[in-house]
Amino acid sequence: MRAVKFIKVVRKLLKTSTDTLADLIYPNVCSLCQDALQNNEAIICTGCRLKLPETNQHRELSPSRMDYKFAGKVPVAFTYSYLYFTKKGRTQRLIHQLKYRDGKEVGRLLGRWYGYQLSTESNLAERIDLIIGVPLHPAKLRQRGYNQSDWFAMGLADTLDRPWSDKALIRNHYTISQTGKNRIDRWTNVSNVFSVPQTGLVANKRILLVDDVLTTGATLESCATALLEAGCASVGIVTIAATR
Ligand SMILES: [Zn+2]
């Protein structure tokens, strides 16, 4: 009995000292301005949150300004981006942390914040059945260890109160190289990249497809096409950021 108690005490001490050590090595500071975070804050301080370049597209009458990126290519129910993306701006720094500095939680936090806005300021939650992140190339997934779009999807799922899945859409082992190709070549190049392994997971569902940054829309277009061909009812798009 004594030995068991001793081990428990040692474990407790070790845990406490590890936490304290972690606090010293990784102090709890805002990932944008490096100021110390208050107890009610996590990852991004309130001051920086208020300065995020929000698009507020969900408050516009449909169609939103981003829908034009898919016009004539694939029918999308809506396209909303949380933030504007500008070079060297706050959004670019957050996306960089999310993708290259193990910033999974940045993605989840932004998803929670935007999901809360979407559920309180629009009827988006009533217009979707399942949230799906754009899948990463398997080699990229191995290298990064996580899919940043899935973390954003999880955050959205938390506050929109809708399910998400990382099994409903998969990325095949093709490599996309779009440099120097025209639009038709690009489309052919990405058209077979994504597939739905079990149509039952998406059939007749209204899908919310999510990604980190919306630029040309070619990847999202390819995903939406695969989902619609598999028999889903509709595809709407939400991204963390978009170029203007
Ligand atoms: Zn800050």
Side-chain angles (χ1 to χ4, degrees):
M1 272 309 280
R2 240 179 221 174
V4 174
K5 201 174 175 189
F6 176 74
I7 289 166
K8 274 186 186 167
V9 169
V10 170
R11 272 198 188 146
K12 207 173 170 185
L13 278 172
L14 275 174
K15 188 176 183 306
T16 313
S17 62
T18 320
D19 286 350
T20 317
L21 200 65
D23 282 345
L24 283 172
I25 300 168
Y26 305 108
N28 220 2
V29 298
C30 169
S31 58
L32 283 173
C33 70
Q34 313 304 320
D35 276 0
L37 289 171
Q38 305 300 310
N39 286 338
N40 60 338
E41 296 171 337
I43 305 170
I44 301 168
C45 76
T46 309
C48 286
R49 180 181 181 180
L50 293 172
K51 288 183 209 147
L52 291 177
E54 295 181 358
T55 72
N56 288 311
Q57 283 159 357
H58 60 285
R59 295 183 191 161
E60 294 170 15
L61 289 171
S62 191
S64 88
R65 267 174 287 166
M66 292 299 160
D67 286 343
Y68 76 92
K69 297 210 178 198
F70 303 98
K73 299 172 190 169
V74 64
V76 293
F78 52 81
T79 314
Y80 302 130
S81 298
Y82 182 27
L83 306 171
Y84 283 118
F85 186 92
T86 47
K87 280 229 160 97
K88 294 184 182 167
R90 289 187 173 82
T91 308
Q92 190 191 28
R93 284 158 59 202
L94 289 174
I95 297 287
H96 186 85
Q97 288 175 15
L98 170 64
K99 287 172 75 170
Y100 305 107
R101 295 180 58 194
D102 198 24
K104 302 187 277 277
E105 294 295 343
V106 169
R108 188 159 193 167
L109 180 70
L110 294 175
R112 281 182 179 161
W113 284 352
Y114 197 34
Y116 181 77
Q117 278 192 10
L118 290 167
S119 61
T120 54
E121 298 169 5
S122 79
N123 64 348
L124 189 110
E126 296 153 29
R127 291 188 276 153
I128 56 164
D129 303 306
L130 181 68
I131 307 174
I132 299 176
V134 167
L136 275 187
H137 188 278
K140 186 70 117 186
L141 184 61
R142 268 196 306 277
Q143 184 192 357
R144 188 171 293 153
Y146 60 94
N147 176 356
Q148 71 278 7
S149 296
D150 280 343
W151 282 78
F152 182 55
M154 272 187 261
L156 287 168
D158 290 341
T159 43
L160 283 171
D161 201 19
R162 284 290 177 274
W164 77 282
S165 170
D166 59 356
K167 309 275 185 293
L169 186 67
I170 56 165
R171 190 171 193 136
N172 302 314
H173 286 257
Y174 299 113
T175 306
I176 311 177
S177 167
Q178 298 188 343
T179 327
K181 287 184 184 286
N182 65 32
R183 220 184 81 69
I184 291 167
D185 285 346
R186 260 207 311 267
W187 192 84
T188 328
N189 199 17
V190 295
S191 63
N192 293 319
V193 171
F194 299 97
S195 51
V196 173
Q198 281 178 273
T199 50
L201 290 175
V202 301
N204 303 315
K205 286 184 181 163
R206 297 165 302 170
I207 306 293
L208 173 60
L209 178 65
V210 310
D211 202 2
D212 47 13
V213 186
L214 170 60
T215 49
T216 65
T219 306
L220 284 158
E221 179 189 341
S222 179
C223 288
T225 305
L227 288 164
L228 288 163
E229 281 173 359
C232 74
S234 63
V235 178
I237 289 167
V238 163
T239 68
I240 298 176
T243 51
R244 280 178 200 257

